[in-house]
Amino acid sequence: MNPQSKDHDLPPVRNTIQLPTQPLNSEEWDKLKADFKGKTRFESWISSQMAHYHSPVDVAKSLLAWVAAKNNGIVDYDLLVRYLHLCVVHKQTSEVIDVYEIMKARYKILDSGGYTLLIRGLILSDRWREAFLLLEDLKKVMTPSKKNYNDCIQGALLHQDVNTAWNLYQELLGHDIIPMLETLKAFFDFGKDIKDDNYSNKLLDILLYLRNNQLYPGESFAHSIKTWFESVPGKQWKGQFTTIQKSGQCSGCGKTIESIQLSPEDYEFLKGRIMRDVIDGGDQYKKTTPQELKRFENFVKSCPPFDIVIDGLNVAKMFPKARESQLLLNVVSQLAKQNLRLLVLGRKHMLRKSSQWRMDEMEEVQKQARCFFADNISKDDPFLLYATLHSGNHCKFITNDLMRDHKACLPDAKTQRLFFKWQQGHQLAIINGFPGSKLTFQNILSYDTVVQTTGDSWHIPYDEDLVERYSYEVPTKWLCLHQKT
């Protein structure tokens, strides 16, 4: 829905038809259709090409007029939606309203794509309130998406309807939908001109929401947060963009950032929750039989606590060019030299001779580490979590897996937050473990990369650009805010 550039290059079409750049009359459309050699319906094909390449609205309108003239004034729903898409892309508000009137008269209910386009188009017009009615209609058939909520919230703020914006935000959270960061940014941008404690408190709640959900604002959002803090009258906030030293001290103000280590109470709380919700209670582990989990629990209880638990299959597949058993042995033998108690979790097929698994190498792995080989249908993660947590707070685990599924099974924000913190402090991700080279891990930081406050200061980690990140990768740039005393 977002135009990539103002003037799209028109496609070289395999049917030798150029997309028109000017409106055509009826005869010209007839000729274009006669020249079309494609297998699909011409009207459908040309309209989807026009939508894809963001053709001018008046060209698309001439197509609709031609179709309507041939069809007793009727235009198919699909064609209408593609035309609507172009009107929204080009911000042709009056055309959006015309299509809206046609659809309202003709259809009792639309598909989600139709609702989404109408909401996005109407919210910019003087009939913006009707976008909220469409959101209500959409709710009758499905939960609206975060984009639908974003359009409505941004529109409400654009038209100064602050209460509706906050109500929609609460509704969005009530559906357990993570809002788009641009939705949250819009509240801060709007807040610059509002001198209201109630509004300010809601913005601080958004920052705590970022903290509890381990979200990092992008660079422009971080600038919006800084601008808002500095605009609050009488509070004398001063912001700066900075970094955190290895010791955990802020280079800007000198304050110490929260430690990545869990307190003994938090560790026991998290351990109990993971054992209960992820390992014992998880439908998501239908692939692991209760008998096998029991066999594993007995195995772990019979061993002294481990220092490192290794996800054998994940490690073995890290470098596709190397033999899997050789890779695993390389990692295990380098760690064993440090006199660490190791547990390797694997699958039974790793013990069968194949091009990837050499028996002599696997025998060597078993001499240097305790090993547990689960059935081939099992999932490794519950075993990995169980063994690491059972061994105690000193125990680390090696995998490049993100473990997003487990965070999702945990029941509340507090447990999810602790799980993420524990994961960041205990997950060793291999950067280089190629056979013949020195084993190197991603550094585990001593401090917690999360939004945090002491009341008279805020520290907010932010992304230079929004990246899809591994859970053990965190931003290195921070916004430091403190009150001038």
Side-chain angles (χ1 to χ4, degrees):
M1 285 182 201
N2 300 318
Q4 309 302 292
S5 69
K6 288 288 174 265
D7 48 3
H8 271 260
D9 295 333
L10 293 180
V13 176
R14 62 176 183 280
N15 299 300
T16 69
I17 288 182
Q18 257 331 95
L19 283 186
T21 55
Q22 301 292 328
L24 304 187
N25 61 31
S26 187
E27 292 74 32
E28 290 166 325
W29 279 116
D30 286 338
K31 181 175 183 323
L32 205 59
K33 182 174 182 177
D35 293 343
F36 178 67
K37 301 290 185 286
K39 290 191 171 67
T40 48
R41 210 170 114 247
F42 169 73
E43 293 81 356
S44 179
W45 179 86
I46 193 99
S47 64
S48 68
Q49 290 292 308
M50 290 165 94
H52 184 263
Y53 289 99
H54 299 162
S55 291
V57 168
D58 56 353
V59 180
K61 197 171 186 177
S62 75
L63 170 70
L64 258 59
W66 171 68
V67 170
K70 289 193 167 326
N71 200 18
N72 298 327
I74 300 293
V75 176
D76 279 358
Y77 179 80
D78 286 354
L79 260 64
L80 267 179
V81 167
R82 285 176 196 140
Y83 176 65
L84 175 61
H85 168 72
L86 283 173
C87 298
V88 171
V89 163
H90 293 300
K91 296 191 164 56
Q92 297 279 329
T93 310
S94 60
E95 292 297 323
V96 170
I97 290 171
D98 288 348
V99 178
Y100 172 50
E101 291 299 349
I102 293 168
M103 287 182 153
K104 209 163 58 162
R106 227 196 288 154
Y107 305 106
K108 277 203 166 68
I109 199 161
L110 309 178
D111 70 334
S112 64
Y115 282 123
T116 294
L117 286 167
L118 283 175
I119 287 169
R120 182 163 288 186
L122 284 175
I123 207 78
L124 300 171
S125 74
D126 53 4
R127 292 175 62 177
W128 55 280
R129 288 190 184 280
E130 292 178 60
F132 303 142
L133 300 176
L134 289 171
L135 188 71
E136 291 304 315
D137 287 343
L138 179 57
K139 282 185 215 166
K140 291 171 190 164
V141 285
M142 61 184 285
T143 302
S145 71
K146 58 183 170 186
K147 283 186 175 164
N148 297 140
Y149 277 109
N150 177 57
D151 289 336
C152 287
I153 288 170
Q154 297 245 28
L157 292 173
L158 178 71
H159 298 287
Q160 310 286 313
D161 186 352
V162 183
N163 287 342
T164 299
W166 283 118
N167 289 342
L168 287 169
Y169 173 65
Q170 286 306 328
E171 193 179 289
L172 163 81
L173 297 184
H175 285 305
D176 276 341
I177 300 171
I178 301 258
M180 293 172 73
L181 290 172
E182 62 191 83
T183 309
L184 306 180
K185 178 181 182 297
F187 282 113
F188 278 88
D189 289 338
F190 187 80
K192 287 197 300 282
D193 308 315
I194 291 193
K195 312 297 177 245
D196 170 23
D197 286 350
N198 188 26
Y199 193 97
S200 296
N201 289 337
K202 286 178 173 171
L203 292 185
L204 298 180
D205 284 343
I206 287 180
L207 294 179
L208 294 176
Y209 178 82
L210 294 177
R211 173 188 171 84
N212 290 333
N213 290 277
Q214 204 73 36
L215 296 172
Y216 305 117
E219 194 161 2
S220 64
F221 185 2
H223 278 277
S224 296
I225 294 169
K226 177 178 183 287
T227 305
W228 175 74
F229 267 99
E230 292 176 344
S231 77
V232 179
K235 297 286 189 192
Q236 290 199 299
W237 284 99
K238 184 83 190 86
Q240 58 187 318
F241 295 104
T242 185
T243 53
I244 307 298
Q245 296 164 23
K246 271 192 174 158
S247 61
Q249 261 197 331
C250 170
S251 304
C253 67
K255 277 200 161 68
T256 301
I257 299 300
E258 290 174 29
S259 164
I260 194 65
Q261 295 305 322
L262 296 187
S263 68
E265 300 75 41
D266 281 345
Y267 180 78
E268 286 306 318
F269 172 83
L270 179 69
K271 181 178 166 182
R273 275 297 166 88
I274 288 188
M275 297 293 189
R276 194 182 72 209
D277 295 321
V278 176
I279 295 172
D280 298 338
D283 282 347
Q284 57 283 13
Y285 295 120
K286 291 269 164 64
K287 289 184 176 174
T288 303
T289 63
Q291 294 82 352
E292 185 157 56
L293 263 175
K294 196 77 206 142
R295 176 169 80 89
F296 179 66
E297 283 176 29
N298 292 337
F299 164 80
V300 170
K301 282 172 184 163
S302 71
C303 302
F306 297 104
D307 298 311
I308 295 184
V309 179
I310 301 166
D311 180 343
L313 207 51
N314 184 284
V315 166
K317 291 184 182 298
M318 232 163 250
F319 299 99
K321 288 195 171 72
R323 187 172 58 252
E324 294 179 2
S325 56
Q326 184 188 13
L327 253 178
L328 181 58
L329 176 59
N330 179 53
V331 170
V332 168
S333 53
Q334 289 200 47
L335 290 170
K337 282 181 189 141
Q338 299 171 39
N339 286 329
L340 295 167
R341 270 208 191 97
L342 308 175
L343 168 63
V344 174
L345 298 172
R347 310 275 177 87
K348 287 179 177 168
H349 74 77
M350 292 158 66
L351 297 174
R352 280 202 303 274
K353 187 178 172 188
S354 70
S355 60
Q356 286 296 339
W357 298 99
R358 267 181 37 186
M359 292 301 88
D360 57 326
E361 287 171 340
M362 289 308 291
E363 281 166 17
E364 198 52 46
V365 166
Q366 290 177 82
K367 281 181 194 158
Q368 298 184 33
R370 294 300 295 266
C371 297
F372 183 88
F373 297 99
D375 287 332
N376 294 327
I377 56 161
S378 292
K379 283 191 87 154
D380 301 333
D381 308 354
F383 298 112
L384 186 77
L385 290 172
Y386 182 90
T388 310
L389 285 161
H390 189 274
S391 293
N393 208 352
H394 72 286
C395 182
K396 306 273 192 286
F397 64 94
I398 299 179
T399 180
N400 279 18
D401 183 16
L402 302 188
M403 308 221 162
R404 286 202 181 108
D405 297 353
H406 307 304
K407 187 170 173 244
C409 339
L410 295 167
D412 56 79
K414 180 191 173 184
T415 314
Q416 291 185 4
R417 164 86 198 94
L418 288 175
F419 177 72
F420 198 97
K421 185 171 177 171
W422 173 77
Q423 182 182 2
Q424 272 190 302
H426 291 77
Q427 180 166 5
L428 292 167
I430 295 175
I431 301 171
N432 189 10
F434 205 79
S437 60
K438 187 175 184 303
L439 182 64
T440 46
F441 295 105
Q442 179 97 12
N443 275 336
I444 290 185
L445 299 171
S446 63
Y447 55 86
D448 192 2
T449 307
V450 68
V451 174
Q452 47 197 275
T453 180
T454 58
D456 63 348
S457 75
W458 281 87
H459 286 88
I460 298 166
Y462 69 91
D463 273 326
E464 287 176 273
D465 35 31
L466 295 173
V467 286
E468 177 67 12
R469 61 173 65 258
Y470 287 114
S471 50
Y472 48 80
E473 294 178 325
V474 288
T476 55
K477 299 280 176 82
W478 288 70
L479 168 59
C480 158
L481 294 150
H482 56 276
Q483 278 179 302
K484 290 189 279 187
T485 45

